[in-house]
Amino acid sequence: DQQVKQNSPSLSVQEGRISILNCDYTNSMFDYFLWYKKYPAEGPTFLISISSIKDKNEDGRFTVFLNKSAKHLSLHIVPSQPGDSAVYFCAAKAAGNKLTFGGGTRVLVKP
Amino acid sequence: KAGVTQTPRYLIKTRGQQVTLSCSPISGHRSVSWYQQTPGQGLQFLFEYFSETQRNKGNFPGRFSGRQFSNSRSEMNVSTLELGDSALYLCASSPGLAGQDTQYFGPGTRLTVL
């Protein structure tokens, strides 16, 4: 039972344009959501998070939107840079410290 | 502040052996969680330790175990290794507070079982 899903396995975007990554979840008990960026053979790097009591959180080029009624969140990266090319994971947690991850979206930013 | 460190970074073992992986959390963090990443199953939660006690557990067999020391450092042990245990094992640390507790990951240990 996949409680967190990233339906787009890959995304290609031109440098300077917006990257939009999507994530859907099924567990209504999730109350904290995070996005991580990962390079091969390295650990995930924390990017941004959002609590279920908010619908938007912004940090520099990264903005996360949460639609609780649709059980959907998205990550916007503006403007996209070649260094953003990586795999992006969304993760969610309910009570306790267990993170449930989506399958990841590979982003390629073309110069 | 130094990040999460994991040792060793790479490990090769044979079936039936056991292995111990080590994780040092960010200074001041009391929670350490372990995850397994494989191409087929993605990133999966193994367990979490907080104040030397296992606080949460994922759906892995008893061959996977862990412990945490008084300085918050943690070790993970896998006994009777199987080929399917080949994976990237990731450790994450966090303050361990309730609610918005962000986990920060180490670089991982790449385990290959032959």
Side-chain angles (χ1 to χ4, degrees):
Chain A
D1 173 28
Q2 217 176 338
Q3 297 186 59
V4 179
K5 283 187 183 178
Q6 294 176 252
N7 290 317
S8 298
S10 64
L11 172 71
S12 183
V13 65
Q14 208 65 35
E15 181 180 3
R17 307 295 290 268
I18 184 171
S19 294
I20 300 177
L21 291 81
N22 294 303
C23 180
D24 296 297
Y25 63 96
T26 57
N27 188 344
S28 57
M29 299 302 290
F30 288 146
D31 60 4
Y32 191 51
F33 303 88
L34 308 92
W35 285 94
Y36 289 89
K37 171 182 174 182
K38 189 178 185 300
Y39 297 113
E42 291 185 14
T45 299
F46 170 71
L47 285 174
I48 192 168
S49 61
I50 188 166
S51 162
S52 60
I53 62 172
K54 294 186 174 181
D55 54 18
K56 178 182 172 182
N57 189 27
E58 210 169 337
D59 184 0
R61 297 187 298 116
F62 302 95
T63 303
V64 56
F65 296 91
L66 175 62
N67 183 332
K68 278 186 67 179
S69 60
K71 293 190 175 70
H72 176 83
L73 64 155
S74 61
L75 174 68
H76 293 205
I77 307 174
V78 183
S80 299
Q81 300 172 352
D84 295 333
S85 296
V87 178
Y88 289 77
F89 291 93
C90 70
K93 67 189 284 286
N97 238 2
K98 171 187 173 181
L99 287 178
T100 301
F101 283 87
T105 296
R106 183 177 304 277
V107 173
L108 175 63
V109 180
K110 297 178 181 177
Chain B
K1 248 187 193 178
V4 179
T5 58
Q6 291 186 247
T7 56
R9 291 294 313 276
Y10 303 92
L11 208 48
I12 299 176
K13 292 284 187 179
T14 56
R15 277 180 298 173
Q17 286 188 308
Q18 74 159 13
V19 67
T20 300
L21 313 181
S22 182
C23 172
S24 292
I26 292 170
S27 177
H29 284 188
R30 297 170 64 192
S31 169
V32 173
S33 298
W34 289 88
Y35 294 83
Q36 180 197 65
Q37 186 185 26
T38 59
Q41 299 298 319
L43 275 154
Q44 292 191 291
F45 173 79
L46 280 153
F47 32 64
E48 180 214 5
Y49 284 86
F50 178 82
S51 291
E52 301 178 65
T53 302
Q54 188 179 88
R55 188 162 70 169
N56 287 288
K57 190 177 187 307
N59 298 321
F60 278 81
R63 300 185 296 107
F64 292 82
S65 63
R67 59 177 176 167
Q68 187 180 34
F69 302 94
S70 57
N71 61 358
S72 293
R73 191 177 70 84
S74 177
E75 287 181 348
M76 189 191 95
N77 185 77
V78 188
S79 63
T80 320
L81 284 166
E82 300 176 0
L83 294 179
D85 297 333
S86 294
L88 181 66
Y89 289 90
L90 293 159
C91 161
S93 81
S94 67
L97 307 172
Q100 301 173 35
D101 196 49
T102 298
Q103 294 180 33
Y104 298 88
F105 284 83
T109 294
R110 168 70 62 183
L111 172 65
T112 302
V113 182
L114 302 176

